[in-house]
Amino acid sequence: MKILHTADWHVGKVLKGRSRLDEHRAVLRELVTLARREDVDAVVVAGDLFDTSAPTPEAQGLVLPALMALREGGRDVVVLAGNHDNPQLLEVYRPVLGKLGIHVVGGFRRPEAGGTLSFTARSGEPVRLAVLPFLSHRYVIRAAEVLAGTAADHNRDYAGRIGELIGALTAGFAADTVNLVTTHGTLPGGKFGGGEREAQSIFSYYFEAAAFPSTTQYAALGHLHRRQQIPGPCPIWYSGSPLAVDFGEEANAPGALLITVEPGRPAVVREVAFDAPRALATVRGTLERLSAVAADLVDTETWLRVIVEEKPRPGLADTVREILPGAIEVVLDERFRPVNPVRQAGPAAAGRSPRELFRDYLTAAGRHDDNVAALFDRLYDEVTT
């Protein structure tokens, strides 16, 4: 059978105030086209469909039709909650999308209650797919209690608990079935894409690749935005995000994974890069330098982060955007950023007028500008006379 593995859509993501809905629409269209062209038998969306737990109607209006389009032709579509998703919202979707043949798992479920899916692929192979959505520390304890039926031992760590849950979900794997696992989390050694949520990517949220049993023929992961393979007892892959989530990911190659697998044999994985996402790039330099490279950037679809090597002054960002209309973030090079001026002791400042103190502040902060000083004088006169 052939599987399309994707994750970390982050639909609804705003980049420096710019909506990306049109870009997401194009990316999801490319994903659906890939599923049709390759005639895949199943699609696994390994979490983070949305960028926020309260997605807008517009974001939901992109995701749900995309899932239904992926389902066309009788493909099995499996969706699980990531750390950005609202698991309760996905559970609301569950019965409705389930009627359409789309398997949705928002929270942990016991194997017999939807945690381990059993179905026959369009290509005829029997499939067992263990599904473990993202679990916070608080909910991994609750999941362990549901599984064991007894009070959880709070001294066991996160990795140990995740290992127990995956072990329970994969216990029914057999030699004559296609055995798959999908989850959303962080494995040691994984390379971060740059836009992951730090609080839920730290060491206390890691679990080990050894959690996947050797009977697993493919493990489809979400959470890390860079497409990559992780060493382990079976083929373990992050599909990465289908678009660069922010400027920390400008070096990534957005796309998805195509997996060919049959019972008793390891999966064969093929990487696919996408064309639809807009490129993100960082440029730096003086205004003169930026003007020199503008001709190469002005007609592109690239969104730019510009690091300016100039002293701060009013209107500097506007000047940069006139040179590079694609600049959506303009920041000062750290060498030119003002430092916090040392507060003068009372006696040293005694007897100095507000105008003099304000000019001292501008000078100490590296922001002296005659126009700004004159504006302060005018405002000071208006409020004191």
Side-chain angles (χ1 to χ4, degrees):
M1 67 177 295
K2 186 179 290 187
I3 303 164
L4 173 58
H5 171 199
T6 179
D8 298 289
W9 294 359
H10 289 274
V11 176
K13 174 70 174 180
V14 176
L15 184 62
K16 305 304 176 184
R18 305 290 183 95
S19 170
R20 306 187 75 181
L21 287 177
D22 287 344
E23 187 179 1
H24 268 114
R25 184 176 292 107
V27 167
L28 294 180
R29 187 183 301 120
E30 186 169 4
L31 188 70
V32 171
T33 299
L34 176 63
R36 292 169 176 164
R37 184 177 70 242
E38 296 289 337
D39 194 27
V40 301
D41 303 297
V43 179
V44 176
V45 187
D48 281 355
L49 286 81
F50 300 106
D51 190 59
T52 173
S53 61
T56 64
E58 291 80 8
Q60 296 181 68
L62 288 184
V63 167
L64 297 180
L67 294 177
M68 289 186 283
L70 291 170
R71 169 62 178 162
E72 290 174 0
R75 299 183 190 91
D76 287 281
V77 178
V78 179
V79 179
L80 59 145
N83 62 304
H84 283 251
D85 295 319
N86 184 334
Q88 287 76 28
L89 177 62
L90 265 62
E91 287 296 325
V92 171
Y93 293 159
R94 178 182 172 85
V96 178
L97 294 181
K99 292 291 185 180
L100 301 175
I102 301 171
H103 310 280
V104 179
V105 183
F108 174 80
R109 289 179 171 270
R110 294 173 63 93
E112 69 277 11
T116 302
L117 304 174
S118 298
F119 56 90
T120 301
R122 292 190 313 167
S123 49
E125 296 94 339
V127 179
R128 289 185 177 171
L129 173 55
V131 184
L132 182 64
F134 175 80
L135 296 176
S136 68
H137 277 275
R138 178 176 56 174
Y139 286 104
V140 77
I141 292 173
R142 187 173 300 175
E145 290 174 345
V146 169
L147 181 65
T150 61
D153 176 6
H154 289 263
N155 291 326
R156 278 179 284 176
D157 62 12
Y158 183 85
R161 291 182 183 282
I162 292 293
E164 291 174 359
L165 297 177
I166 292 177
L169 294 173
T170 59
F173 281 4
D176 60 348
T177 58
V178 173
N179 301 318
L180 309 170
V181 178
T182 181
T183 188
H184 192 93
T186 310
L187 291 181
K191 296 178 181 179
F192 285 74
E196 296 85 358
R197 186 174 288 173
E198 292 185 7
Q200 292 166 339
S201 306
I202 56 178
F203 284 105
S204 58
Y205 271 91
Y206 280 25
F207 62 96
E208 299 294 333
F212 302 109
S214 59
T215 51
T216 305
Q217 292 165 266
Y218 183 75
L221 273 59
H223 186 52
L224 300 188
H225 298 171
R226 179 178 296 182
R227 194 166 61 252
Q228 60 191 294
Q229 183 177 13
I230 303 295
C234 63
I236 304 170
W237 281 80
Y238 286 97
S239 67
S241 176
L243 80 174
V245 173
D246 65 21
F247 285 104
E249 302 183 6
E250 59 189 70
N252 291 357
L257 293 169
L258 288 169
I259 300 92
T260 303
V261 62
E262 58 186 69
R265 299 180 65 87
V268 177
V269 180
R270 175 157 60 98
E271 301 183 54
V272 179
F274 284 177
D275 297 321
R278 292 185 68 160
L280 305 182
T282 299
V283 294
R284 64 165 61 235
T286 63
L287 292 179
E288 181 179 1
R289 167 63 180 163
L290 297 176
S291 298
V293 301
D296 297 327
L297 298 170
V298 70
D299 294 327
T300 70
E301 291 295 315
T302 303
W303 270 335
L304 302 175
R305 173 175 60 179
V306 182
I307 302 175
V308 189
E309 297 175 344
E310 298 269 355
K311 290 184 178 180
R313 58 182 180 272
L316 180 59
D318 293 335
T319 301
V320 171
R321 292 189 176 96
E322 290 175 1
I323 298 171
L324 297 170
I328 63 172
E329 182 179 11
V330 179
V331 296
L332 286 174
D333 183 280
E334 60 182 9
R335 295 172 298 164
F336 297 92
R337 293 174 190 170
V339 296
N340 292 327
V342 178
R343 181 184 294 271
Q344 293 184 350
R352 299 178 64 80
S353 69
R355 290 183 176 85
E356 292 172 322
L357 293 174
F358 184 69
R359 282 165 172 76
D360 289 345
Y361 163 77
L362 291 177
T363 300
R367 296 184 176 186
H368 180 73
D369 184 276
D370 291 335
N371 292 327
V372 173
L375 179 59
F376 175 85
D377 291 344
R378 191 176 73 185
L379 293 174
Y380 181 74
D381 288 340
E382 289 179 359
V383 299
T384 57
T385 58

